[in-house]
Amino acid sequence: MRFQGRVALVTGGSRGIGKATALKLAGEGATVAIHYSRSTAKAEEVCEQIRDLGQHAIPVQADIADREAVNSMVTAVTEALGTIDLLVNNAGAVGDMVFDELTPEHWDRIIAVNLTGPFNVIWAVKPGMVAQQFGRIVNVSSIAALAVRPDQLPYAAAKAGVISLTKSCCGPLARHNIRINSVAPGAIATDMLNEVSPEMKEQLRSTTPLGRLGEPEEMADVIAFLLSEESSYMTGSTVIASGGRILIP
Ligand code: NAP
């Protein structure tokens, strides 16, 4: 029970990687706030599943790009559950758009959700973590950050920004016993991947050395490791979990 007595906030906990992570943390003793944007029923369902595990969970709604909404959400979680110990900055949206058709408005929105969003949540939870001199944060990036992606320009740039955010926060936060790391998943079998054509899905699978898509639970295992004391000497790091699809030196 690595997270006994801990309070966790999982953004985008209603579906996919966030849902698997929330269930994993609850299964190991954490009380969990399940954040969502529009999927009220799905977030409620995850909370029910967590209650079935004998843990407490509450759903919380906010557009991650809306700073005031994020601040109110963190206040609500803190009042209901206590200071947030573990943050999983997972909410995101891919929003492919052909390079020649990319609009400034689309750029603004995808950057707001995938880069400003994680910043908003870190800034909202940071005072509580600093006050208690404890915090563990995992930001969910993507291998899109490490590849050439003309049709995912704002998404790839935002996810590269998440890696930079992780690195730049690590020193100042380390002074307060707050560790911050990120994970860069490859192609994972979630709703997000259902947005691509079956042909593209097959191409993703066949170009992955392990020969299959990843499961959300496999990302949850990496995130839980980074939140746990098993990664006690890691901060500012990015773990690539891509079935070998992207390799860096
Ligand atoms: P998913 O199944 O599509 O779920 C996305 C989650 O993010 C949902 O809970 C959704 O809430 C929430 N969300 C989306 N836009 C939001 C907004 N504006 N404000 C608040 N919440 C919002 O996605 P996933 O595949 O699990 O992805 C989770 C993370 O992993 C994302 O950051 C994604 O970029 C990253 N990732 C995924 C893959 C992959 O292949 N799946 C690969 C690399 C990285 P609602 O349910 O309320 O809509």
Side-chain angles (χ1 to χ4, degrees), residues 41-104:
K42 286 184 175 163
E44 292 282 2
E45 224 170 83
V46 178
C47 289
E48 271 311 308
Q49 283 180 261
I50 289 177
R51 287 178 203 125
D52 289 346
L53 295 170
Q55 296 296 339
H56 187 32
I58 58 165
V60 283
Q61 192 279 336
D63 178 348
I64 215 77
D66 178 340
R67 190 160 298 140
E68 285 314 309
V70 168
N71 288 340
S72 302
M73 170 185 77
V74 167
T75 302
V77 172
T78 307
E79 281 172 7
L81 307 178
T83 302
I84 294 162
D85 302 300
L86 314 172
L87 166 64
V88 183
N89 238 335
N90 163 79
V94 66
D96 286 19
M97 192 174 275
V98 175
F99 183 86
D100 287 334
E101 293 171 10
L102 178 65
T103 60

Side-chain angles (χ1 to χ4, degrees), residues 174-239:
R175 293 198 288 273
H176 302 290
N177 187 28
I178 302 169
R179 291 192 292 110
I180 179 167
N181 291 289
S182 64
V183 58
I188 311 302
T190 68
D191 291 344
M192 190 174 274
L193 220 64
N194 290 335
E195 290 174 32
V196 307
S197 66
E199 296 74 36
M200 173 58 96
K201 224 177 192 176
E202 175 50 25
Q203 200 218 324
L204 290 171
R205 189 202 62 73
S206 63
T207 54
T208 299
L210 285 183
R212 62 177 177 85
L213 303 179
E215 294 300 326
E217 291 73 18
E218 294 178 290
M219 298 305 104
D221 286 343
V222 176
I223 294 168
F225 164 73
L226 291 172
L227 292 171
S228 78
E229 295 320 296
E230 287 166 23
S231 61
S232 53
Y233 200 53
M234 292 175 73
T235 193
S237 302
T238 295
V239 175

Side-chain angles (χ1 to χ4, degrees), residues 11-19 35-40 42-43 61-65 89-94 109 113-114 140-144 155 159 183-193 195 204 216:
T11 71
S14 47
R15 297 187 275 128
I17 294 170
K19 174 181 175 179
H35 158 268
Y36 68 99
S37 170
R38 293 174 303 263
S39 307
T40 311
K42 286 184 175 163
Q61 192 279 336
D63 178 348
I64 215 77
N89 238 335
N90 163 79
V94 66
R109 179 64 188 160
V113 170
N114 293 288
V140 180
S141 176
S142 168
I143 58 167
Y155 179 75
K159 291 298 189 181
V183 58
I188 311 302
T190 68
D191 291 344
M192 190 174 274
L193 220 64
E195 290 174 32
L204 290 171

Side-chain angles (χ1 to χ4, degrees), residues 141-149 156 159-160 163 184 238 240 246-248:
S141 176
S142 168
I143 58 167
L146 309 166
V148 177
R149 295 282 171 91
K159 291 298 189 181
I163 293 175
T238 295
I240 297 170
I246 294 270
L247 304 171
I248 54 168

